[in-house]
Amino acid sequence: MGSGASKYRSASGPGHTKIQGKVLCDDIELHGLLDSWERAGSSFTRAMLQAENKETVPEYDMERDSWTATDTIVGETKLVLKNTEGGLLMLSLSTTGEFHWECSTSYRLSARKGKSSRHAREQTTQLKVVDSCMKAFEVSDLWRSIDEQKHWLYGTAEDCNLRCEDFAIKLFESLADRRCEGRRAMDPLKGTKQG
């Protein structure tokens, strides 16, 4: 198994994080891992988005007699990908702008606060699966999704396009080919017994 943490971080003043998506996509160790998986013919069977929470706000429209829900992903996030070899690849960008990836056999690990490293195992934020996709995809699909991140500026500074937490969300949405946040139609009776 392997792991990595990007040494590339930049701050734009006290309390503000800013990191270019291109820097995240240029992690040499991650490239090596994905290249070896691609050469071996390995692919992925599932994508899971982990976060601290997912808030869902239902709303009823009396004029249309219909329900909608607005979903919002809250807090730290992590993308978990299951490969055909039985391992998991986890990718995240912390709120401090630290890119972290790890290979593991279990996704039931916590997000790390502070500096990430191969040996640091501070686990202070418990994450849970808030969305998943059973769609199979190739390593080349993951490459495409990672490449799409290059033009974004992640962080808390005013000129950033996206929050750091959006990194895993954007990757998940690209691989699942659907949004996991925003407004959607809702069936309030779904999952209930009617009799």
Side-chain angles (χ1 to χ4, degrees):
M1 298 294 139
S3 69
S6 175
K7 61 183 177 220
Y8 305 105
R9 283 195 304 162
S10 62
S12 60
H16 293 288
T17 302
K18 186 189 317 187
I19 187 163
Q20 183 68 43
K22 180 179 181 343
V23 172
L24 304 175
C25 302
D26 291 340
D27 187 291
I28 293 174
E29 290 179 16
L30 179 58
H31 274 257
L33 174 71
L34 293 177
D35 282 342
S36 69
W37 282 357
E38 193 166 34
R39 284 191 305 273
S42 184
S43 60
F44 298 97
T45 60
R46 184 176 190 183
M48 294 172 276
L49 179 64
Q50 288 188 314
E52 290 179 47
N53 200 10
K54 181 175 185 175
E55 294 177 352
T56 300
V57 178
E59 186 178 330
Y60 179 68
D61 183 340
M62 288 178 54
E63 288 181 19
R64 294 189 177 126
D65 189 28
S66 65
W67 284 89
T68 59
T70 302
D71 297 319
T72 305
I73 306 296
V74 178
E76 295 270 343
T77 59
K78 182 191 322 181
L79 178 67
V80 181
L81 306 172
K82 183 175 182 186
N83 72 17
T84 52
E85 308 303 315
L88 301 168
L89 174 62
M90 294 173 276
L91 303 162
S92 63
L93 180 61
S94 74
T95 54
T96 59
E98 181 122 19
F99 175 60
H100 184 81
W101 65 270
E102 181 176 358
C103 287
S104 181
T105 54
S106 174
Y107 66 87
R108 299 185 199 289
L109 301 172
S110 299
R112 291 153 186 72
K113 288 280 188 190
K115 189 167 177 104
S116 296
S117 75
R118 293 176 195 196
H119 306 293
R121 297 287 182 204
E122 284 184 48
Q123 298 181 350
T124 58
T125 305
Q126 188 65 37
L127 302 181
K128 61 184 177 183
V129 176
V130 295
D131 208 337
S132 66
C133 171
M134 298 294 284
K135 178 179 155 186
F137 56 95
E138 302 296 322
V139 173
S140 60
D141 297 318
L142 177 58
W143 278 125
R144 178 190 45 78
S145 296
I146 289 173
D147 192 56
E148 291 171 359
Q149 307 306 307
K150 287 187 175 183
H151 65 279
W152 296 113
L153 186 59
Y154 291 94
T156 57
E158 281 186 30
D159 60 337
C160 291
N161 309 100
L162 299 166
R163 306 167 302 154
C164 292
E165 302 90 277
D166 291 331
F167 176 74
I169 293 170
K170 290 292 181 194
L171 282 176
F172 176 84
E173 290 178 340
S174 177
L175 293 168
D177 198 26
R178 64 176 169 80
R179 292 188 45 82
C180 60
E181 285 191 298
R183 182 176 236 143
R184 61 179 169 83
M186 183 183 112
D187 179 358
L189 300 177
K190 184 176 182 179
T192 62
K193 286 187 175 182
Q194 298 180 12

